[in-house]
Amino acid sequence: MAVSAVTPLISAGDTMCPHRLVLEHVTSRWGVLVLIHLLDRPHRFSELRRAIGRVSEKMLTQTLQTLERDGLVHRDAKPVIPPRVDYSLTDLGREAAEQVRGLAEWTAKRMSAVQEAREGYDAARGGRDQG
């Protein structure tokens, strides 16, 4: 019986395996959006925040630091006044971002099927436990 490369993700139990933690960072609510936006071009913090929308400064800062630590985002601080910091993807980050973008595109393309499934589910359950 062949063992899938995904098996450790599923059978990790209560421990947080390193690859599972990176998957969590990449697929987090803000991680996905940061990676997708940085695919186009480097962004300054403020323009990235505007592009994403509804993210607090603190949360965006934490997300960028996490992705930088994982080697996915590069932070380029220029020694000028006022300070200028640009964020861009590393080669590893570009790989991850392309994968995430594929999932985002699939979601947009298949949203009507998801909505139809939700409506069928809700109708069968009498509208309870929606969320």
Side-chain angles (χ1 to χ4, degrees):
M1 179 169 121
V3 177
S4 166
V6 178
T7 302
L9 293 174
I10 297 167
S11 62
D14 292 335
T15 61
M16 192 58 108
C17 296
H19 56 275
R20 193 171 182 179
L21 192 56
V22 172
L23 182 63
E24 184 178 299
H25 296 163
V26 168
T27 60
S28 71
R29 177 181 186 179
W30 304 117
V32 166
L33 297 174
V34 165
L35 291 171
I36 288 172
H37 282 351
L38 290 179
L39 258 173
D40 295 334
R41 63 177 178 79
H43 283 72
R44 294 180 75 176
F45 183 90
S46 57
E47 58 184 357
L48 189 56
R49 187 168 179 221
R50 275 192 304 275
I52 291 172
R54 295 184 18 227
V55 61
S56 70
E57 255 184 63
K58 180 181 177 185
M59 199 65 237
L60 183 55
T61 298
Q62 288 175 348
T63 300
L64 286 165
Q65 287 174 343
T66 298
L67 295 174
E68 182 182 4
R69 183 171 184 257
D70 288 343
L72 305 177
V73 168
H74 174 71
R75 181 180 185 274
D76 182 21
K78 298 192 179 14
V80 295
I81 308 250
R84 179 183 173 104
V85 179
D86 291 305
Y87 294 92
S88 60
L89 293 175
T90 64
D91 290 341
L92 192 60
R94 182 161 296 285
E95 260 183 78
E98 288 170 356
Q99 298 297 317
V100 170
R101 181 175 57 188
L103 182 58
E105 288 169 349
W106 173 86
T107 303
K109 183 173 122 183
R110 301 297 289 154
M111 194 59 216
S112 61
V114 170
Q115 189 59 39
E116 188 177 308
R118 286 177 175 176
E119 290 167 4
Y121 178 89
D122 292 345
R125 295 182 54 95
R128 58 183 197 271
D129 295 330
Q130 295 178 30

